[in-house]
Amino acid sequence: MHLKSVHQWVIQRIEITTLISALVAAAAVWGFVSLAGEVVEGDTKGLDTDILLWFRSATDPQDPLGPGWIEEFGRDMTALGGTGVLVMLTVFAGGFLWMQGKRRSMVMIFAAVGGGFAMSQLLKFGFDRPRPDLVPHGSIVYTASFPSGHTMMSAVTYLTLAILVARVQTRQRVRVYLIAVACFLTVLVGVSRVYLGVHWPTDVLAGWTAGAAWAVGWWMLARWLEGRGAVEPQAQSIADGRDSADVAGRMTETPGARPS
């Protein structure tokens, strides 16, 4: 069998993007499980301490690194992972899909984010890891430390919203932009939690891996449901830099016609 024939056989039977997504989700789950095992055994204590203190002044561990406006910026960034902000964004995104007539995608978003919140709380309850006590907390905290709820829910919410909303966008650059912004915000929220001294670095890393696995898993579920007609199909991409009306005009233009 020729190499070209093998390639065509693979393309016909396996959707590469789905395969890659499955591998990413599996790697994220494996990473979370491995990290959780190390945390439970106490093997990450030294690394956690070193990284946490790196965000503090060398002369005074009580003082966060940098001027006062940096600390205020950290509080602004950590607020992006707060429950109130994430709930509002989810409702706004759901309203956007509802106005576009994508009612089933709207329901899927609500289910994905709501389920992610429940999973985050269950994990916190199960591990019950104490918060860092080496430095003062720069933000009020109420729950256990592992995994970071702000970080996990940022990954769950921003990535899930970006992936599922991107499904119904026609332009490839819009899809890439939405996912890139979601990743950027998720990273900022996670770093801010360590900077403010309310989480160990491994709490944040666990939140990233668990949240990413959750978001990718829901994307795969959306693709599976799409194949069965249970959710709206993914929008077909159109060439970047072209207006859809221009594309339609080109398709209906009479060959050989000249403008008057």
Side-chain angles (χ1 to χ4, degrees):
M1 183 179 293
H2 296 295
L3 182 60
K4 184 177 181 180
S5 300
V6 173
H7 175 74
Q8 291 176 342
W9 183 88
V10 171
I11 292 298
Q12 291 173 355
R13 289 162 176 78
I14 303 176
E15 189 170 351
I16 300 301
T17 54
T18 301
L19 177 60
I20 293 175
S21 299
L23 291 175
V24 169
V29 171
W30 177 84
F32 177 84
V33 172
S34 299
L35 183 60
E38 295 294 322
V39 168
V40 170
E41 294 174 1
D43 295 336
T44 64
K45 185 67 174 180
L47 181 61
D48 273 333
T49 300
D50 291 341
I51 296 177
L52 185 65
L53 293 179
W54 185 85
F55 285 95
R56 297 281 153 167
S57 171
T59 58
D60 183 11
Q62 307 296 308
D63 182 29
L65 196 65
W69 68 266
I70 292 290
E71 186 173 355
E72 189 64 24
F73 179 76
R75 293 192 187 95
D76 291 341
M77 294 304 98
T78 208
L80 295 176
T83 301
V85 172
L86 296 180
V87 168
M88 285 192 296
L89 287 175
T90 302
V91 172
F92 294 155
F96 169 75
L97 291 174
W98 182 81
M99 287 187 293
Q100 284 200 324
K102 312 294 185 181
R103 310 291 173 81
R104 295 176 182 177
S105 294
M106 178 192 70
V107 172
M108 174 162 283
I109 281 180
F110 290 156
V113 175
F117 179 79
M119 178 61 66
S120 173
Q121 296 305 306
L122 286 174
L123 290 173
K124 280 180 172 291
F125 178 79
F127 287 100
D128 197 27
R129 187 187 194 187
R131 296 274 181 168
D133 55 1
L134 299 177
V135 298
H137 294 169
S139 178
I140 298 176
V141 292
Y142 305 96
T143 58
S145 192
F146 186 92
S148 167
H150 275 64
T151 305
M152 180 175 173
M153 285 311 302
S154 294
V156 166
T157 304
Y158 290 123
L159 291 179
T160 299
L161 291 180
I163 290 172
L164 296 185
V165 172
R167 289 184 63 255
V168 297
Q169 301 304 307
T170 56
R171 294 195 178 279
Q172 187 67 24
R173 67 175 61 180
V174 174
R175 297 175 182 174
V176 173
Y177 176 77
L178 288 172
I179 295 174
V181 169
C183 293
F184 180 68
L185 291 176
T186 300
V187 169
L188 281 182
V189 171
V191 173
S192 73
R193 300 305 283 171
V194 180
Y195 178 78
L196 294 175
V198 294
H199 273 296
W200 301 106
T202 46
D203 298 336
V204 170
L205 184 57
W208 281 334
T209 56
W214 188 265
V216 173
W218 274 91
W219 178 83
M220 294 173 63
L221 177 60
R223 296 298 299 268
W224 182 78
L225 292 175
E226 176 188 338
R228 284 153 181 77
V231 296
E232 296 84 5
Q234 178 169 308
Q236 296 299 314
S237 297
I238 62 175
D240 288 331
R242 294 183 182 179
D243 183 81
S244 57
D246 178 59
V247 174
R250 290 175 181 270
M251 293 176 61
T252 58
E253 183 179 341
T254 303
R258 296 181 180 178
S260 56

